[in-house]
Amino acid sequence: MVKKAAALRKFVQAGWGILTNAYVKGFLPGDPPIYKGPLKQFCVPGMNCYSCPGALGSCPIGSMQAVFDGRHRKFAFYVVGYLSLIGLIVGRFVCGWLCLFGLIQELLYKIPAPKLRVPEAIDKPLRYLKYVMLFVMVFALPFFVRSEYGVGAPFFCKYICPVGTLEGGIPLVLLNDAMRGTLGWLFRWKFLLLILCVLASIFIYRPFCKYICPLGAFYGLFQKVSLVRMQVDENACVNCGLCAKTCKMNVDPRKNPNSSECIRCRECINACPKNALSMIIREKKAADQPIQEGIRKESI
Amino acid sequence: MKKKTILSAAALVLCFALVLAGCGKKGSEGGSSQAEAGSEQILNGGEEGTTLSFETVDTNGNPVDSKALFAQNKVTMINIWGTTCGPCIGELPELEKMNKEFNQKGGAIVGLVNDVWVNNSKYLGEARDILSDTGVTYTNLCAWEGCNDVLPVVGTPTTYFVDSQGKLIGDPILGADPAKYAEKMEEYLSQAK
């Protein structure tokens, strides 16, 4: 049962990843490798590089920066609104189910190797790094920094994002001669970051999601108020701690079921011997009332 | 989930994916349209030896004929840029300088703004602002229907070189690299008849 649930999630992650990168033509020689048709106007909900030859949709983080860094400084209302809507409905569910790069990290973690639990003294403060990425690299620098001729830059995409290196940079360089001529120090830097991310993912579960991802940071802001949320049945819980032990994002569902670090993978729900944990859709008014009152419980 | 359900779901996903893969922008087919055997044969886009022949408008509204344009110089460098492309705009001031130097030797730079179209001037104002901010005085062309096929662009800036008859010389240069442009221009000028 637990295995089936985990397999279902992998299936959804993989299926969605393939569906949103199904532009096979981009990988064939001779054609311009990046799809620029009408679907590109839409952002996928997870991290997925616009420049991936197969990508049918745009990256929300990339799109945000592209609007922020324009000569006429503009706020990305459309993209931020779209992401906020998703966050309000499902919080970080996208991270656990609809993000291809999340899947890639999980697959890397499956490689047999000693698994490291980062000590809390490092892990807890480092989780805030993703907010630095979000507010500084994705928003502030692209929005405010301008060159002499009014030119801005997408700082996160340009200097940090390993998703872009993996899905965009490397395939484009392999597919296109002209691209190869442009390689310089920046590509080497981004490639190094990607290698570090890949290596870290073998030993640590989803390190990019935990420490770097600005999109995860953004969705995390909505976890406490999202419609789809986690609930602990205090009466059923026997405090065995199995949920906290199972959680690979280092969340303790007993204390903080709607932590901004939870990616809604449901492994804790599956692990609980007393079925005390569940994901529910809640009504607006039921905010902080006890479980018995006012919450329409529709277990997903 | 039963195996059958998983298989049919997977098949559905695959079908969907293939359908979507078939949807693409018109003109992204790198097809070769062979004209009659004669002086102008348009082969695959962007390849050395292809002859360009087009009519368009420049950013000041003046009509431009490619034959007349290219005949003025031994080698013309076509720098394709976009109004939202940071690195492209960044190199424009240097290109203005380089153009003046090239002019002394029979070469010239011509810009092509790939998001300003002959029939859709939404970004024309922006392009003209950028050109004036960066001090560019050389001709900049508006994109015409089919220009992406004859001058394919993976990313901007992309720079092509043509001879006085509009025939493409060498490989395109991708990325803002004025030093490389100058090097190639020297090379092609010395080879030009």
Side-chain angles (χ1 to χ4, degrees):
Chain A
M1 175 58 197
V2 174
K3 279 200 174 159
K4 269 192 182 176
L8 172 66
R9 188 169 73 89
K10 283 281 176 302
F11 180 74
V12 172
Q13 285 175 297
W16 181 254
I18 292 172
L19 194 65
T20 52
N21 288 287
Y23 188 66
V24 179
K25 260 204 210 163
F27 293 102
L28 302 176
D31 286 330
I34 303 174
Y35 168 75
K36 297 203 175 160
L39 291 176
K40 264 302 177 42
Q41 291 173 83
F42 302 105
C43 301
V44 294
M47 289 294 284
N48 198 304
C49 191
Y50 171 99
S51 299
C52 172
L56 289 167
S58 295
C59 175
I61 293 293
S63 303
M64 264 199 256
Q65 287 166 92
V67 177
F68 291 148
D69 77 8
R71 277 171 41 102
H72 305 289
R73 184 170 285 133
K74 285 199 174 121
F75 189 79
F77 287 110
Y78 168 57
V79 183
V80 174
Y82 163 77
L83 294 178
S84 300
L85 187 63
I86 295 177
L88 281 171
I89 298 175
V90 293
R92 277 188 90 169
F93 177 84
V94 170
C95 301
W97 292 72
L98 299 175
C99 181
L100 178 59
F101 197 67
L103 173 63
I104 291 171
Q105 289 169 85
E106 289 180 11
L107 294 175
L108 288 167
Y109 193 72
K110 282 196 187 295
I111 295 174
K115 302 303 173 189
L116 307 173
R117 195 104 167 172
V118 179
E120 216 176 282
I122 302 176
D123 180 67
K124 272 205 148 56
L126 206 55
R127 299 281 177 129
Y128 289 102
L129 181 58
K130 32 181 202 307
Y131 291 95
V132 174
M133 291 293 163
L134 176 63
F135 291 112
V136 178
M137 302 299 286
V138 173
F139 173 64
L141 291 179
F143 197 68
F144 292 113
V145 172
R146 291 288 181 275
S147 80
E148 199 179 339
Y149 305 103
V151 167
F155 282 77
F156 183 80
C157 297
K158 186 171 174 183
Y159 294 108
I160 313 273
C161 191
V163 185
T165 312
L166 181 68
E167 297 179 359
I170 291 174
L172 289 176
V173 163
L174 291 174
L175 289 170
N176 195 279
D177 293 329
M179 278 286 182
R180 251 167 266 152
T182 68
L183 301 187
W185 68 268
L186 185 58
F187 185 80
R188 286 196 285 272
W189 165 248
K190 295 285 294 294
F191 194 76
L192 175 67
L193 288 181
L194 176 63
I195 296 291
L196 289 175
C197 188
V198 166
L199 285 175
S201 300
I202 297 174
F203 304 100
I204 303 171
Y205 184 76
R206 290 209 182 204
F208 178 78
C209 308
K210 284 179 175 146
Y211 307 122
I212 312 284
C213 187
L215 188 54
F218 185 84
Y219 285 142
L221 295 172
F222 295 91
Q223 289 266 86
K224 295 267 184 311
V225 297
S226 63
L227 271 180
V228 168
R229 52 205 288 104
M230 189 112 82
Q231 180 179 260
V232 185
D233 182 349
E234 310 261 320
N235 296 330
C237 173
V238 297
N239 229 339
C240 67
L242 209 57
C243 54
K245 210 171 170 203
T246 306
C247 179
K248 302 215 262 295
M249 295 300 283
N250 304 4
V251 173
D252 186 342
R254 297 167 296 176
K255 296 189 197 138
N256 203 353
N258 296 299
S259 156
S260 58
E261 299 302 309
C262 172
I263 57 170
R264 306 320 199 185
C265 68
R266 296 176 60 99
E267 285 189 25
C268 56
I269 296 176
N270 297 330
C272 179
K274 301 294 177 189
N275 289 329
L277 291 168
S278 55
M279 271 205 337
I280 59 162
I281 303 172
R282 66 142 181 194
E283 289 180 347
K284 263 192 265 177
K285 290 179 192 167
D288 291 308
Q289 287 170 359
I291 294 162
Q292 282 78 12
E293 302 167 32
I295 295 181
R296 177 164 42 94
K297 192 171 169 177
E298 284 175 38
S299 291
I300 303 169
Chain B
M1 244 198 188
K2 289 199 174 161
K3 263 197 181 161
K4 266 192 188 170
T5 323
I6 297 183
L7 278 174
S8 25
L12 205 67
V13 169
L14 193 62
C15 288
F16 202 177
L18 288 170
V19 166
L20 282 171
C23 302
K25 205 163 166 218
K26 268 193 196 172
S28 62
E29 310 268 13
S32 54
S33 47
Q34 298 252 328
E36 303 263 359
S39 52
E40 272 148 36
Q41 263 186 312
I42 300 178
L43 304 166
N44 291 312
E47 276 180 18
E48 184 164 21
T50 312
T51 300
L52 300 179
S53 174
F54 57 83
E55 276 168 21
T56 184
V57 178
D58 72 15
T59 51
N60 292 320
N62 306 314
V64 171
D65 175 77
S66 64
K67 279 203 201 65
L69 180 68
F70 297 141
Q72 292 170 30
N73 299 288
K74 286 195 228 167
V75 178
T76 309
M77 178 180 127
I78 306 176
N79 177 257
I80 306 175
W81 61 282
T83 60
T84 58
C85 168
C88 303
I89 299 172
E91 67 170 0
L92 289 179
E94 195 167 347
L95 294 191
E96 170 66 13
K97 264 190 239 140
M98 273 171 55
N99 179 51
K100 297 215 159 72
E101 286 164 18
F102 291 164
N103 286 158
Q104 313 282 337
K105 306 176 194 165
I109 301 178
V110 159
L112 168 53
V113 199
N114 78 346
D115 56 350
V116 176
W117 294 81
V118 172
N119 52 2
N120 178 359
S121 55
K122 187 171 176 194
Y123 300 116
L124 176 61
E126 182 70 11
R128 288 165 58 98
D129 282 343
I130 293 171
L131 291 170
S132 97
D133 284 349
T134 51
V136 167
T137 58
Y138 56 78
T139 304
N140 276 265
L141 309 173
C142 298
W144 62 95
E145 173 126 16
C147 68
N148 289 327
D149 297 330
V150 295
L151 291 168
V153 158
V154 170
T156 47
T158 295
T159 301
Y160 285 93
F161 293 87
V162 291
D163 65 14
S164 54
Q165 274 126 17
K167 214 185 331 166
L168 285 171
I169 314 169
D171 291 325
I173 299 172
L174 175 58
D177 198 344
K180 215 187 223 175
Y181 309 153
E183 182 194 316
K184 286 296 169 186
M185 180 57 99
E186 293 293 334
E187 184 187 320
Y188 300 146
L189 279 172
S190 65
Q191 291 169 358
K193 293 153 207 174

